[in-house]
């Protein structure tokens, strides 16, 4: 019979620090701030009525036209290349030109109210946030934030200036964060029925 070596004295595990009231308050505060940011983005982007929505779309009409022509050509090229997923749909305040031939793989680009998806990108695919936070929102919900931004006077030069600043300094583009927040708000408003 062999003797067992004595077990070392292990300390008993204490309470889980992740379930402490302090951590719970911090998590609740972060969630509250995120919900406030999402609501603020929706308040800034959504038109106040149908007239201002139509006015915004009229303002963005040249870009919508250019985006529509580019989107049709992109989807046609993808179809000719054999991509059966390539197609056109209308949702989330925009015309979705899905799974195009040109562009970044699994990325989308908005021009006015036309959303041009790159190879493999679809409106219903999950979108990643620019701040790397988790999200349930899909690509069309994120891009819908941009469609509403295009309906605001002065958006294009301000976006381009912020994109340049972002590229030079590595800071996030506030218009991308706003679109992310709007997408999360939109997804939450729709609920689990989708």
């Amino acid at each position: 019979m062999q003797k067992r070596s004595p077990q070392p004295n292990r300390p008993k595990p204490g309470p889980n620090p992740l379930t402490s009231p302090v951590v719970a308050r911090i998590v609740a505060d972060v969630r509250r701030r995120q919900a406030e940011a999402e609501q603020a983005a929706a308040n800034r982007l959504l038109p106040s009525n149908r007239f201002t929505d139509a006015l915004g779309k009229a303002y963005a009409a040249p870009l919508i036209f250019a985006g529509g022509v580019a989107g049709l050509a992109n989807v046609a090229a993808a179809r000719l290349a054999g991509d059966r997923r390539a197609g056109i749909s209308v949702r989330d305040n925009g015309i979705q030109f899905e799974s195009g031939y040109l562009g970044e793989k699994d990325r989308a680009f908005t021009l006015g109210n036309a959303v041009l998806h790159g190879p493999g990108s679809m409106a219903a695919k999950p979108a990643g946030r620019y701040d790397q936070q988790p999200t349930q929102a899909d690509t069309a919900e994120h891009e819908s934030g941009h469609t509403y931004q295009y309906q605001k006077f002065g958006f294009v030069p301000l976006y381009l200036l912020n994109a340049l600043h972002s590229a030079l300094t590595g800071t996030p583009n506030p218009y991308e964060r706003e679109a992310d927040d709007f997408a999360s708000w939109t997804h939450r408003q729709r609920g689990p029925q989708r």
Side-chain angles (χ1 to χ4, degrees):
M1 197 154 152
Q2 198 175 27
K3 277 189 172 179
R4 290 181 129 188
S5 61
Q7 293 288 331
N9 289 338
R10 293 184 193 158
K12 291 183 179 181
N16 184 348
L18 297 178
T19 60
S20 75
V22 172
V23 171
R25 272 194 308 259
I26 292 170
V27 168
D29 188 49
V30 167
R31 287 184 179 150
R32 179 187 53 77
R33 285 187 198 167
Q34 183 60 37
E36 288 172 356
E38 292 168 6
Q39 184 64 55
N43 291 343
R44 281 190 306 274
L45 291 180
L46 289 174
S48 56
N49 56 47
R50 287 184 183 179
F51 176 73
T52 56
D53 186 41
L55 200 59
K57 285 178 174 59
Y59 171 71
L63 293 171
I64 297 169
F65 178 76
V69 170
L72 284 171
N74 200 14
V75 167
R79 282 292 187 148
L80 288 172
D83 186 351
R84 294 178 186 247
R85 296 172 301 170
I88 302 170
S89 64
V90 177
R91 66 172 275 199
D92 292 297
N93 198 44
I95 305 165
Q96 309 285 328
F97 297 95
E98 300 180 80
S99 194
Y101 186 73
L102 302 172
E104 288 185 59
K105 184 171 174 41
D106 292 324
R107 299 290 304 259
F109 173 77
T110 301
L111 196 56
N113 290 68
V115 180
L116 289 72
H117 293 264
S121 177
M122 304 294 284
K125 273 194 170 180
R129 285 181 61 102
Y130 279 81
D131 58 9
Q132 306 305 317
Q133 295 297 318
T135 183
Q136 297 295 316
D138 61 33
T139 301
E141 290 167 334
H142 171 85
E143 298 302 325
S144 72
H146 292 309
T147 66
Y148 285 114
Q149 289 169 339
Y150 272 101
Q151 291 178 212
K152 305 289 184 191
F153 181 75
F155 165 70
V156 173
L158 291 173
Y159 182 89
L160 294 174
L161 284 173
N162 277 288
L164 178 63
H165 180 264
S166 178
L168 294 174
T169 63
T171 57
N173 187 330
Y175 290 107
E176 291 297 340
R177 181 177 302 236
E178 183 178 59
D180 282 338
D181 290 340
F182 181 77
S184 296
W185 178 86
T186 301
H187 188 80
R188 202 166 20 86
Q189 297 305 305
R190 291 180 176 161
Q193 71 269 16
R194 285 192 68 182

